[in-house]
Amino acid sequence: MSRIMVKEPLFKSLFAKLLLSFSILGFIASVQVNASEVMASPAVEQQKLANRIGIIQQELADIRTQTMQSNPALVDQVKTFEATFEKKAKEVNYQPEAFLKTAQEIQQQVRDENTTDEQRAELIKSFAKEKQALAKQRESIMADPELSKLEIALQKDTISAMKKQDPKTETLLKELDTLFTQFRS
C-alpha cells in the first residue's frame, strides 16, 4: 500500500492553529510556574489541561494523517489551498516558522534562572509583539476572499472525512473545545 505524503501548508489548517495554540499555552503555563510559588496549584491544573490538549491534538493529527492517506481528492484540495496560501504569504512576507523559533528562544530565556524578573517581563512583551505582528500578517492573507473560501471548504471537508475515518473525531473535537474554554478561564 502506498502512502500519500502531504506537505503541510504554511498555514497548517485547523490542526496547526491548535498546535500553535498548544505551544503558546505551554509557554504561558511555564511563565506562570516560574512567576510565583503561590500560583503553583493553578499552574499544575493548567499544565494538566495543556497535557490533555496535547494528547487530543496528537490523536486528531493521527486521524487526519489516516484520512489524507485514504482520500486522494482531499489531498488535491490541500495542495490547491497550499499553493494559493503560499502565493499570498509571499506577498506579505509571512514567516510563521521564524515566529516559532523566536518563541522557543524566548521560552528558553524566560526559564533561565539567570534571567531577572525585569528581563522576563521584557521577553514576554517581545513575544506578545511578535505574536501580534504574525496575527496581522495572517489576517491580511486570510482577508483574500478566494483563500478564505478555500480554507472553509477544506476544513469542512477534512473534518467530515475524519469523522467518516474515525467516529471518535467528533468526541475529540468537542472535548478539545471544552478544554480550551477551561484553559482560558
Side-chain angles (χ1 to χ4, degrees):
M1 175 178 199
S2 67
R3 282 182 66 144
I4 297 172
M5 299 303 291
V6 178
K7 178 185 157 211
E8 289 294 323
L10 291 174
F11 173 72
K12 298 170 185 149
S13 190
L14 171 67
F15 303 103
K17 288 188 251 182
L18 297 177
L19 182 59
L20 181 58
S21 297
F22 181 67
S23 297
I24 293 168
L25 295 175
F27 173 73
I28 293 169
S30 71
V31 170
Q32 289 176 340
V33 169
N34 290 328
S36 169
E37 291 298 320
V38 176
M39 293 178 61
S41 181
V44 169
E45 289 303 314
Q46 293 272 327
Q47 189 60 46
K48 285 180 184 178
L49 287 174
N51 288 342
R52 180 64 186 146
I53 288 169
I55 290 168
I56 292 171
Q57 288 174 330
Q58 184 58 54
E59 286 184 61
L60 289 169
D62 291 344
I63 294 168
R64 180 180 184 271
T65 298
Q66 294 167 3
T67 301
M68 289 296 170
Q69 290 173 349
S70 62
N71 290 284
L74 194 56
V75 172
D76 291 340
Q77 193 176 355
V78 168
K79 289 178 181 178
T80 299
F81 174 80
E82 287 176 350
T84 306
F85 183 88
E86 288 177 12
K87 179 182 172 199
K88 301 293 178 185
K90 285 180 182 176
E91 291 173 10
V92 298
N93 196 28
Y94 181 69
Q95 299 177 350
E97 294 86 3
F99 168 76
L100 289 175
K101 183 179 178 185
T102 300
Q104 289 170 346
E105 290 169 0
I106 290 172
Q107 184 177 13
Q108 288 174 349
Q109 290 174 333
V110 166
R111 287 183 175 171
D112 186 339
E113 55 190 52
N114 294 326
T115 302
T116 66
D117 288 343
E118 184 177 295
Q119 290 170 325
R120 279 188 183 92
E122 284 301 315
L123 288 166
I124 291 169
K125 283 181 190 177
S126 171
F127 173 78
K129 183 179 176 181
E130 293 282 332
K131 179 181 165 191
Q132 186 177 23
L134 188 70
K136 284 182 181 181
Q137 285 180 320
R138 183 191 168 279
E139 286 173 19
S140 71
I141 294 168
M142 295 311 297
D144 180 80
E146 175 190 4
L147 189 60
S148 182
K149 183 179 173 183
L150 288 172
E151 179 193 28
I152 291 167
L154 178 59
Q155 285 183 0
K156 179 182 168 214
D157 294 347
T158 300
I159 290 173
S160 177
M162 286 173 64
K163 288 177 183 177
K164 289 178 186 172
Q165 181 76 30
D166 191 331
K168 72 179 179 181
T169 298
E170 180 79 30
T171 304
L172 291 170
L173 288 171
K174 286 180 182 178
E175 183 179 358
L176 189 62
D177 186 49
T178 300
L179 291 172
F180 272 131
T181 300
Q182 290 173 358
F183 197 91
R184 286 185 224 125
S185 61

